Amino acid sequence: MHQAKKRFGQNFLTDKNLLMKIVDQSKIKDKNVLEIGPGLGALTQYLVPQAKKYLAFEIDYSLKDSLKKFENTHTKFIFEDFLSVDVETVLNEYFINEEVHLVGNLPYYITSPIIFKFLDIKNLKTATMMVQKEVGLRMMADANNKVYNGFSVILQYFTDVKLLMNVNKKMFKPVPKVDSVVMQLTKKDTPLDKTDQALFIKLVKLAFAHKRKTLLNNLATGLNLEKNNILDVLKELDFNENTRAELLSVNDFVRLTTHIKKIIN
Ligand code: SAH
């Protein structure tokens, strides 16, 4: 029997109904699938028969034997750290530049780096992931919600965020400390070009940098601009001069970006 390893964040799923529900709702039938952290193959057993082609990254080499039974002509298992591999190149080679869908029940301490890697890789179209419940709530929070932050804005700019299901911590072995949710991220068309997008991300980060400061103060400090210049922009956009980052919607940040761009160039 495989002993769960804490250092690899191993909390295994066993409930058949839950596993089938996750795979069913990930909607990967006849699609290319990338699984991160297959573990003992809980999700793998349902993903492999449905997938067009299947590729997995698993950091723990000692799971190789447990995963052997899933090896066939349209599957591939790579025993490496997903975060330290040039995944884009591997994907494009294995899936011959086709679209790929990510699925994973993964350790929670790597949720954000995985999401940013997912956003970066063009051919990855959806991500169905187990995340800590608090993180899931943040991912889908709207403006003015107390957990809404820069991460919510950036994620919702790039993807449609959907809550697929709640998962009680008792469903895992060993039982973790927190409850979980399965989220699905679907990439969408983005309104800004690459340069403006970089500015958008910068502005979102600056706007939320100091929680108790107004948007005006955060931007003036962060961009090293005169307050009056920023005030003009806020007026043009019909934003109150005392407004705070958490009151701006994703679209407000897009509008802010196009206006700020004019005064910094
Ligand atoms: N998906 C399985 C296992 C969950 S435990 C299930 O649902 O039962 C999380 C898995 O992710 C473990 O197998 C762990 O070894 C693997 N893992 C942790 N960090 C990883 C990384 N950086 N890259 C790839 N796999 C990783």
Side-chain angles (χ1 to χ4, degrees):
M1 207 24 215
H2 178 84
Q3 197 66 32
K5 294 194 184 80
K6 244 199 165 140
R7 71 175 186 285
F8 292 146
Q10 294 180 347
N11 296 91
F12 298 105
L13 288 172
T14 49
D15 187 87
K16 254 187 136 169
N17 287 326
L18 172 65
L19 290 162
M20 286 167 71
K21 200 170 143 190
I22 295 171
V23 172
D24 183 55
Q25 297 202 14
S26 65
K27 299 226 167 71
I28 51 76
K29 194 154 175 41
D30 302 323
K31 300 203 165 132
N32 293 319
V33 174
L34 164 69
E35 184 178 12
I36 312 174
L40 294 162
L43 289 163
T44 318
Q45 62 184 320
Y46 302 108
L47 289 170
V48 165
Q50 288 206 24
K52 182 176 177 193
K53 271 174 105 179
Y54 169 101
L55 173 72
F57 283 94
E58 171 55 64
I59 199 170
D60 185 356
Y61 188 79
S62 77
L63 292 165
K64 194 172 166 59
D65 283 342
S66 309
L67 293 168
K68 262 224 152 63
K69 56 178 172 289
F70 302 111
E71 279 176 17
N72 67 40
T73 50
H74 75 290
T75 68
K76 184 178 166 119
F77 291 83
I78 299 177
F79 292 89
E80 277 187 78
D81 178 353
F82 177 78
L83 294 173
S84 56
V85 171
D86 175 4
V87 177
E88 185 150 32
T89 303
V90 175
L91 288 186
N92 289 342
E93 269 177 37
Y94 184 67
F95 294 110
I96 339 167
N97 293 318
E98 290 182 351
E99 279 187 27
V100 185
H101 300 266
L102 188 161
V103 181
N105 167 30
L106 279 156
Y108 296 154
Y109 53 82
I110 53 173
T111 300
S112 321
I114 296 224
I115 288 177
F116 285 109
K117 206 155 175 171
F118 160 73
L119 294 178
D120 250 14
I121 300 175
K122 201 170 140 267
N123 279 339
L124 283 175
K125 296 299 173 187
T126 68
T128 306
M129 297 174 67
M130 184 82 73
V131 304
Q132 188 177 328
K133 191 169 186 175
E134 283 66 28
V135 175
L137 294 175
R138 203 185 276 292
M139 288 164 95
M140 59 182 182
D142 288 326
N144 212 10
N145 182 310
K146 66 176 188 300
V147 297
Y148 181 73
N149 70 359
F151 178 58
S152 326
V153 177
I154 292 171
L155 195 63
Q156 291 172 29
Y157 169 83
F158 286 103
T159 71
D160 285 318
V161 182
K162 192 173 157 197
L163 168 74
L164 291 186
M165 69 193 85
N166 287 292
V167 181
N168 192 294
K169 56 175 173 280
K170 294 199 183 91
M171 301 301 257
F172 297 87
K173 270 185 199 130
V175 178
K177 290 201 181 76
V178 293
D179 283 323
S180 300
V181 289
V182 179
M183 305 298 294
Q184 186 162 64
L185 310 174
T186 306
K187 293 225 182 115
K188 60 182 182 191
D189 290 337
T190 47
L192 301 170
D193 67 26
K194 262 219 144 39
T195 320
D196 292 0
Q197 217 154 268
L199 177 61
F200 167 85
I201 292 171
K202 179 178 173 181
L203 291 178
V204 172
K205 286 181 179 163
L206 289 178
F208 283 95
H210 304 283
K211 244 196 123 33
R212 308 167 75 134
K213 282 195 191 175
T214 59
L215 177 67
L216 172 64
N217 283 330
N218 272 326
L219 291 183
T221 315
L223 296 170
N224 204 10
L225 287 173
E226 292 291 327
K227 273 192 189 181
N228 275 333
N229 293 332
I230 312 260
L231 261 179
D232 290 342
V233 169
L234 298 188
K235 266 191 208 127
E236 269 180 63
L237 291 164
D238 270 332
F239 295 164
N240 186 297
E241 63 183 74
N242 298 317
T243 199
R244 284 165 201 279
E246 58 264 32
L247 291 175
L248 269 61
S249 68
V250 177
N251 193 42
D252 288 337
F253 275 106
V254 171
R255 292 167 59 222
L256 181 69
T257 305
T258 53
H259 281 73
I260 292 282
K261 185 186 160 187
K262 287 188 229 154
I263 62 166
I264 59 175
N265 283 342

